[in-house]
Amino acid sequence: EGAYEPVDWSRCLSSCATTIGGNRSGPVIYVESTLSETTVIDGFIITKGDRGIYTLLSSVAVQNCRIVHNNTAGSGGGMRLDHSFITITNSLVADNTAELHDAAISVISTVAIPGPYSRVRIYNSTIASNRASQGRNGIFCSLSACSAVNSIVWGHEGEDFSGHMYSATYSDIEMELAGEGNISEDPRFVDQVNGDYHLRPDSPCI
């Protein structure tokens, strides 16, 4: 848990930043074999890793986090989630890159690894401006289920979602994904080029 005021140690999610930098030497946060108990990652800037978060056979809740400027030679620059149950709440996954595929989030289940199929649920979050060298810049679900609610998925070259079993409701999806309450309108970020993904007062997402 991060984002504490260093003077009196009160929590200040809006203004206090606790940064974990990966120094490009591996995933910034790696979680393995925690299916029996949920690991909570709350209030961090997770950056400059070979992947931001990597989970394997785990149950993880990511909340109030900024997962930005991570890069991998493989897939899943922002997050790679293998055979895991994940919730992402009030978080930003942006400006991550991958040399292969799935720059933002790679949600994987394979027959080679025994265990449950992955399931990812995204709430009140923004997934934006991630880039992969060989396509699939947004969220990719392989034999997995991924859903987004009240979220923004925008600014990817190619599809925002791809693969198997993905859905969204009450969200702004650039690829015009069908779903109750969905729109496909410019979210009007304050300064997308320089990484400010707050919404302007005239944003249709407010």
Side-chain angles (χ1 to χ4, degrees), residues 23-204:
N23 199 29
R24 307 296 183 198
S25 60
V28 179
I29 295 178
Y30 177 68
V31 185
E32 181 179 356
S33 301
T34 67
L35 284 172
S36 62
E37 187 174 4
T38 299
T39 298
V40 180
I41 302 167
D42 185 0
F44 293 102
I45 298 173
I46 299 167
T47 189
K48 297 182 180 178
D50 181 352
R51 299 190 177 105
I53 296 175
Y54 186 5
T55 72
L56 176 63
L57 294 168
S58 295
S59 176
V60 178
V62 178
Q63 52 202 43
N64 304 308
C65 286
R66 294 171 57 88
I67 303 167
V68 295
H69 302 299
N70 299 283
N71 173 265
T72 182
S75 60
M79 303 174 70
R80 181 181 169 106
L81 314 170
D82 286 7
H83 292 270
S84 297
F85 303 142
I86 311 292
T87 60
I88 302 169
T89 308
N90 296 329
S91 293
L92 171 71
V93 182
D95 300 306
N96 301 285
T97 58
E99 297 302 316
L100 293 179
H101 307 288
D102 323 329
I105 303 173
S106 184
V107 189
I108 302 295
S109 302
T110 66
V111 295
I113 299 176
Y117 287 145
S118 292
R119 183 181 68 241
V120 176
R121 294 172 176 168
I122 302 169
Y123 302 99
N124 311 326
S125 295
T126 297
I127 317 296
S129 302
N130 300 281
R131 295 286 180 270
S133 297
Q134 299 183 31
R136 293 201 320 234
N137 297 309
I139 302 165
F140 175 68
C141 303
S142 173
L143 299 175
S144 305
C146 181
S147 63
V149 179
N150 193 38
S151 294
I152 301 170
V153 187
W154 197 270
H156 303 105
E157 294 179 2
E159 295 182 326
D160 298 300
F161 288 89
S162 58
H164 307 93
M165 295 182 289
Y166 54 83
S167 64
T169 54
Y170 300 99
S171 295
D172 190 5
I173 312 294
E174 188 171 10
M175 66 182 280
E176 298 184 356
L177 184 63
E180 184 176 359
N182 286 343
I183 61 174
S184 180
E185 300 181 38
D186 185 347
R188 299 175 188 166
F189 297 125
V190 170
D191 189 356
Q192 181 174 352
V193 172
N194 292 302
D196 188 343
Y197 293 96
H198 292 91
L199 300 178
R200 294 181 352 216
D202 60 347
S203 170

